[in-house]
Short mmCIF file of all heavy atoms in Angstrom, two decimals:
data_model
loop_
_atom_site.label_atom_id
_atom_site.label_comp_id
_atom_site.label_asym_id
_atom_site.label_seq_id
_atom_site.Cartn_x
_atom_site.Cartn_y
_atom_site.Cartn_z
N ARG A 255 -34.28 24.88 57.91
CA ARG A 255 -35.41 25.73 57.58
C ARG A 255 -36.66 24.88 57.25
O ARG A 255 -37.77 25.21 57.69
CB ARG A 255 -35.04 26.64 56.40
CG ARG A 255 -33.85 27.51 56.63
CD ARG A 255 -33.45 28.22 55.33
NE ARG A 255 -32.08 28.73 55.36
CZ ARG A 255 -31.75 29.94 55.80
NH1 ARG A 255 -32.66 30.78 56.19
NH2 ARG A 255 -30.46 30.31 55.81
N VAL A 256 -36.42 23.83 56.48
CA VAL A 256 -37.56 22.98 56.11
C VAL A 256 -38.14 22.29 57.32
O VAL A 256 -39.36 22.26 57.51
CB VAL A 256 -37.06 21.89 55.09
CG1 VAL A 256 -38.20 20.87 54.87
CG2 VAL A 256 -36.67 22.55 53.78
N MET A 257 -37.27 21.81 58.22
CA MET A 257 -37.75 21.13 59.40
C MET A 257 -38.49 22.09 60.33
O MET A 257 -39.32 21.67 61.15
CB MET A 257 -36.59 20.46 60.15
CG MET A 257 -35.92 19.34 59.35
SD MET A 257 -37.06 18.12 58.70
CE MET A 257 -37.59 17.35 60.22
N ALA A 258 -38.17 23.38 60.26
CA ALA A 258 -38.88 24.41 61.06
C ALA A 258 -40.24 24.73 60.45
O ALA A 258 -41.21 25.01 61.15
CB ALA A 258 -38.02 25.65 61.22
N ILE A 259 -40.31 24.74 59.13
CA ILE A 259 -41.54 25.12 58.43
C ILE A 259 -42.57 24.00 58.46
O ILE A 259 -43.76 24.25 58.51
CB ILE A 259 -41.21 25.54 56.99
CG1 ILE A 259 -40.52 26.92 57.00
CG2 ILE A 259 -42.48 25.58 56.12
CD1 ILE A 259 -40.09 27.38 55.65
N ILE A 260 -42.11 22.73 58.46
CA ILE A 260 -43.06 21.60 58.43
C ILE A 260 -44.04 21.66 59.59
O ILE A 260 -45.25 21.58 59.39
CB ILE A 260 -42.30 20.26 58.38
CG1 ILE A 260 -41.71 20.07 57.00
CG2 ILE A 260 -43.23 19.11 58.75
CD1 ILE A 260 -40.85 18.82 56.83
N PRO A 261 -43.58 21.76 60.88
CA PRO A 261 -44.57 21.82 61.96
C PRO A 261 -45.45 23.05 61.89
O PRO A 261 -46.62 23.02 62.32
CB PRO A 261 -43.69 21.83 63.24
CG PRO A 261 -42.35 22.22 62.80
CD PRO A 261 -42.22 21.75 61.39
N LEU A 262 -44.92 24.18 61.37
CA LEU A 262 -45.75 25.38 61.17
C LEU A 262 -46.91 25.07 60.20
O LEU A 262 -48.05 25.46 60.47
CB LEU A 262 -44.88 26.52 60.64
CG LEU A 262 -45.60 27.83 60.34
CD1 LEU A 262 -46.20 28.44 61.61
CD2 LEU A 262 -44.65 28.81 59.66
N GLY A 263 -46.60 24.40 59.12
CA GLY A 263 -47.64 24.08 58.14
C GLY A 263 -48.66 23.09 58.70
O GLY A 263 -49.86 23.22 58.51
N LEU A 264 -48.14 22.04 59.40
CA LEU A 264 -49.08 21.08 59.98
C LEU A 264 -49.97 21.71 61.05
O LEU A 264 -51.17 21.39 61.13
CB LEU A 264 -48.29 19.93 60.57
CG LEU A 264 -47.52 19.02 59.55
CD1 LEU A 264 -46.70 17.99 60.30
CD2 LEU A 264 -48.47 18.38 58.58
N GLY A 265 -49.39 22.60 61.85
CA GLY A 265 -50.22 23.29 62.86
C GLY A 265 -51.26 24.15 62.24
O GLY A 265 -52.40 24.22 62.72
N THR A 266 -50.95 24.82 61.12
CA THR A 266 -51.91 25.64 60.43
C THR A 266 -53.05 24.79 59.89
O THR A 266 -54.23 25.15 60.01
CB THR A 266 -51.22 26.40 59.27
OG1 THR A 266 -50.17 27.20 59.80
CG2 THR A 266 -52.22 27.26 58.55
N LEU A 267 -52.71 23.65 59.28
CA LEU A 267 -53.76 22.77 58.76
C LEU A 267 -54.66 22.25 59.89
O LEU A 267 -55.88 22.16 59.71
CB LEU A 267 -53.12 21.61 58.01
CG LEU A 267 -52.43 21.95 56.69
CD1 LEU A 267 -51.76 20.69 56.10
CD2 LEU A 267 -53.47 22.49 55.70
N LEU A 268 -54.09 21.93 61.02
CA LEU A 268 -54.88 21.44 62.15
C LEU A 268 -55.84 22.53 62.64
O LEU A 268 -57.04 22.24 62.87
CB LEU A 268 -53.94 21.01 63.28
CG LEU A 268 -54.66 20.53 64.56
CD1 LEU A 268 -55.53 19.31 64.26
CD2 LEU A 268 -53.62 20.21 65.66
N LEU A 269 -55.40 23.75 62.76
CA LEU A 269 -56.27 24.85 63.21
C LEU A 269 -57.35 25.15 62.19
O LEU A 269 -58.50 25.42 62.57
CB LEU A 269 -55.44 26.10 63.45
CG LEU A 269 -54.53 26.06 64.69
CD1 LEU A 269 -53.65 27.33 64.74
CD2 LEU A 269 -55.32 25.92 65.96
N LEU A 270 -57.03 25.04 60.90
CA LEU A 270 -58.07 25.22 59.88
C LEU A 270 -59.13 24.13 59.96
O LEU A 270 -60.31 24.38 59.78
CB LEU A 270 -57.40 25.21 58.51
CG LEU A 270 -56.65 26.49 58.09
CD1 LEU A 270 -55.94 26.31 56.77
CD2 LEU A 270 -57.60 27.69 58.03
N ALA A 271 -58.68 22.89 60.21
CA ALA A 271 -59.64 21.78 60.32
C ALA A 271 -60.54 21.99 61.54
O ALA A 271 -61.76 21.75 61.46
CB ALA A 271 -58.88 20.46 60.46
N LEU A 272 -59.97 22.43 62.67
CA LEU A 272 -60.80 22.67 63.85
C LEU A 272 -61.77 23.83 63.58
O LEU A 272 -62.96 23.78 64.03
CB LEU A 272 -59.89 22.99 65.03
CG LEU A 272 -59.02 21.85 65.56
CD1 LEU A 272 -58.05 22.31 66.63
CD2 LEU A 272 -59.89 20.71 66.09
N TRP A 273 -61.31 24.86 62.93
CA TRP A 273 -62.23 25.99 62.58
C TRP A 273 -63.38 25.50 61.70
O TRP A 273 -64.55 25.82 61.92
CB TRP A 273 -61.41 27.08 61.86
CG TRP A 273 -62.34 28.12 61.24
CD1 TRP A 273 -62.86 29.21 61.84
CD2 TRP A 273 -62.76 28.15 59.86
NE1 TRP A 273 -63.65 29.92 60.91
CE2 TRP A 273 -63.59 29.30 59.72
CE3 TRP A 273 -62.55 27.35 58.74
CZ2 TRP A 273 -64.18 29.64 58.49
CZ3 TRP A 273 -63.13 27.67 57.55
CH2 TRP A 273 -63.92 28.81 57.42
N LEU A 274 -63.07 24.67 60.71
CA LEU A 274 -64.05 24.18 59.80
C LEU A 274 -65.08 23.34 60.50
O LEU A 274 -66.30 23.40 60.26
CB LEU A 274 -63.39 23.37 58.66
CG LEU A 274 -64.30 22.90 57.52
CD1 LEU A 274 -64.92 24.09 56.81
CD2 LEU A 274 -63.50 22.06 56.54
#
Side-chain angles (χ1 to χ4, degrees):
R255 303 173 198 267
V256 172
M257 297 308 292
I259 287 175
I260 286 176
L262 177 64
L264 293 177
T266 302
L267 290 176
L268 177 61
L269 290 175
L270 285 174
L272 293 174
W273 169 83
L274 186 61

